Amino acid sequence: MMVKMQLLSFRKICALLASVLLLPLLSGCGASSPHVRTGFAFDTVVSITYYDGKDSSAVTKVMDRLEHYEKIFSRTDPESELYQVNARLAEAAKEGASPAVVPIRSLELYEALKLSLEYAEKTGGAFDPTLGKLLEIYDFGGTEHRVPADAEREEILSHCGWEKLETAEVSRTGDVSAYPYQLTAADPQIVIDLGGMAKGFIADRLKEELKAEGVTSAIINLGGNILVIGNKPDGRPYGIGVLKPEPGSSENLASFKITDASAVTSGSYQRFFEQDGVTYHHILDPATGLPAESSLRSVTVVAENSAVADILSTSFFVMGEDEAVHFLENCTGIDAYFVDEQNVVRKYLSK
Ligand code: AMP
Ligand code: MG
């Protein structure tokens, strides 16, 4: 399957950007004017904003890397590495092989799985990368939505659970052609989904690639998942707005400034469908397999590392505000903005 990378019309870009929850505030950027490279990947608009014309080839080169990452992390693209890992698990399940040991080819997938499992444990399972089977059925990203019946949901849930997965580095002293990493699944019926962290993980990689190309000031925006490199060219921090969590809204409920950091939002209306008068959104409570119910509409997490911000914004949405604040009390360097159903913003600023 071809990666959907295309230049979009200005109007379409504006419409899509308005549908995300965070927006870099670009006013007052000083003498240099911003250049924006835009594409479409991971079902969303991706842009890199930079300020120095001479960086343009570096940015083009890094934008071209999006296809590489999509070919690792997509759950639905049969050519992706994750898809193939899930296919191998399914094969093992069919053969009755348990536990299943699956080779992992790329360092990126290995590291993303490892980080996901580490945070699944830290968040008490609020973040769970094993909900793929349920996500396949709900099909939030597509059009074939189905709500599983209670018995089916329970049966699938009994084959989910991050604690059933383990990653390992494989010793390379023997067969040098062997894949360097592996995943062991105590239950091969698991379907892995990394949609709750892949964009953040990729943003961190794109940052390193841009920095290696000499870029010192830029905004990476993966569908509202924002990471900034350095300060604005005028030496001041970048401004970021938390948008009102409603489709199409461009109203800022809050704003803050960041330098060399990432801001990631999870919201119940980013992806959803309605059936029989009930709205089903895309952030699932791993305890029930149903859309997470809290009084939150969105959570924005600010951290240096975008993968961590992405994982935590999804986790905090599942936990709800009280539990998330309790979690934050034991963290350093992580801020959060909670938006409730009345669009009231409460911010938690880290120690
Ligand atoms: P985000 O927009 O980062 O909050 O991620 C939402 C996406 O993460 C969904 O579209 C699913 O692919 C996946 N997901 C849903 N619920 C969970 C969960 N509890 N833990 C981990 N990933 C999840
Ligand atoms: Mg997330």
Side-chain angles (χ1 to χ4, degrees), residues 127 195-197 264 266 309-311 313-314:
F127 188 85
M197 61 82 73
V264 181
S266 289
D310 197 352
I311 288 175
S313 66
T314 307

Side-chain angles (χ1 to χ4, degrees), residues 259-271:
T259 301
D260 269 322
S262 177
V264 181
T265 297
S266 289
S268 52
Y269 74 90
Q270 288 173 323
R271 277 170 205 266

